[in-house]
Amino acid sequence: MNTPARLGAYVLGLAVVFGGALGVGNAVGEVGAPPQANSHSQGAGHTPSSRPTGAHDGGTHTTNAKPAEAASEDTPGGLQVSENGYTLNPLTTTIKPGEPTDFQFTVTGPNGGAVTDYQVQHDKKLHFIVVSRDLGSFQHLHPVEAGNGVWSVKLTLPAAGAYRAFADFAPTGGSALTLGADLLVAGDYTPKALPAASRTADVDGYTVTLDGDLVPGQASKLTLKVNKDGKPVTDLQPYLGAYGHLVALRGSDLAYLHVHPDGEPGDGKTKAGPEIVFYAEVPSRGDYRLFLDFQHEGKVRTADFTVNTGQTATATAKPTPSPAKSGGHGDHKH
């Protein structure tokens, strides 16, 4: 089979597997629980630490929501290219594997024009994440404004295949949103299985261990401990207002969940390592990929894990979580 045919067959398979996901909404609530009030009205634009920040609600919930709206509020972010009148529009259509590309895109608003006015969240107006569909590749980027509502970022996709891009932002006067769009890179491609479940990740001489379990529908405590050369790291550096940032993606459909750490630098109680504590809530059982960004010695590194929620709940729920006032997106590329 020639290269175009192979890629075409793969993309057709994606349409079958992920087609149903593209129509779902963008907020995560407790499983079986009624919708909760939009936490993005808290100024920082993100949820309390007990709920995934990727769970963008799109407004305060009411009991009189229309059926379609209610359905939208029961699902995670990043699964659709358009929501609440805002649409993610990739302008760059050709990406070659392994070659840096000046990737450009816009976000259009309800009036059809490109959005030019954004709220600053975690020191940035817009956060841009690109992952491969098999979740083996992860990039957390911060594009620059090129003018007239166009965003530009240097993007290198390592190999042929399918990728998912997420734009995480809050338009001025609106609620925070996470929109997603597929990116395709032509060439020979063989889908890979999700990386095996692991509680340990090694990156650049650092070892990060994960303790705790994800439990659907409740706040679950996750503790990540950073060591270097066998010794605990106790001088992690703040990055965009936090000692660590965790992005969780559901393996089955790439639902996007952003989770903030408990505490913040300078609050008088949060230590600069070796442990970074998160309280995360996931919407369902299944496999999840976790990507932890942390900064030490002036460089941001990313540790990744595969976690299965399973049937047994062993995580500890935090009774009264406090809002994560700061903490941003830890990027390792600009």
Side-chain angles (χ1 to χ4, degrees), residues 286-307:
D287 292 320
Y288 289 83
R289 286 282 284 160
L290 308 181
F291 298 93
L292 171 72
D293 286 335
F294 65 95
Q295 180 168 256
H296 188 241
E297 297 180 347
K299 182 178 179 180
V300 177
R301 297 168 174 86
T302 303
D304 60 277
F305 306 84
T306 300
V307 176

Side-chain angles (χ1 to χ4, degrees), residues 171-283:
T172 297
S175 300
L177 297 168
T178 300
L179 302 179
D182 287 335
L183 308 178
L184 300 178
V185 180
D188 291 333
Y189 175 66
T190 302
K192 298 178 181 178
L194 206 67
S198 175
R199 294 294 180 138
T200 302
D202 294 311
V203 53
D204 293 344
Y206 294 81
T207 299
V208 184
T209 55
L210 170 66
D211 183 44
D213 296 303
L214 293 171
V215 181
Q218 73 176 59
S220 305
K221 182 178 180 180
L222 301 177
T223 302
L224 293 112
K225 186 174 182 179
V226 183
N227 290 272
K228 182 182 181 183
D229 300 327
K231 298 180 181 180
V233 175
T234 58
D235 58 345
L236 290 171
Q237 297 167 322
Y239 189 75
L240 301 177
Y243 287 127
H245 307 281
L246 189 66
V247 170
L249 293 166
R250 187 164 57 187
S252 59
D253 59 1
L254 276 63
Y256 176 96
L257 312 169
H258 193 95
V259 190
H260 285 278
D262 185 44
E264 60 186 35
D267 63 5
K269 59 182 180 180
T270 302
K271 296 180 179 180
E275 294 184 346
I276 313 171
V277 176
F278 297 85
Y279 287 89
E281 183 176 318
V282 296

Side-chain angles (χ1 to χ4, degrees), residues 95-96 98-104 128-130 139 141 152-158 163 165 183 333-334:
I95 303 175
K96 296 182 179 180
E99 294 187 12
T101 300
D102 290 320
F103 185 82
Q104 294 189 330
F128 194 64
I129 290 175
V130 181
Q139 297 183 54
L141 311 168
S152 179
V153 65
K154 187 70 72 175
L155 176 63
T156 302
L157 298 181
Y163 294 79
L183 308 178
K333 295 183 180 180
H334 298 273

Side-chain angles (χ1 to χ4, degrees), residues 46-60:
H46 286 271
T47 61
S49 56
S50 62
R51 297 189 66 211
T53 306
H56 300 313
D57 298 0
T60 302

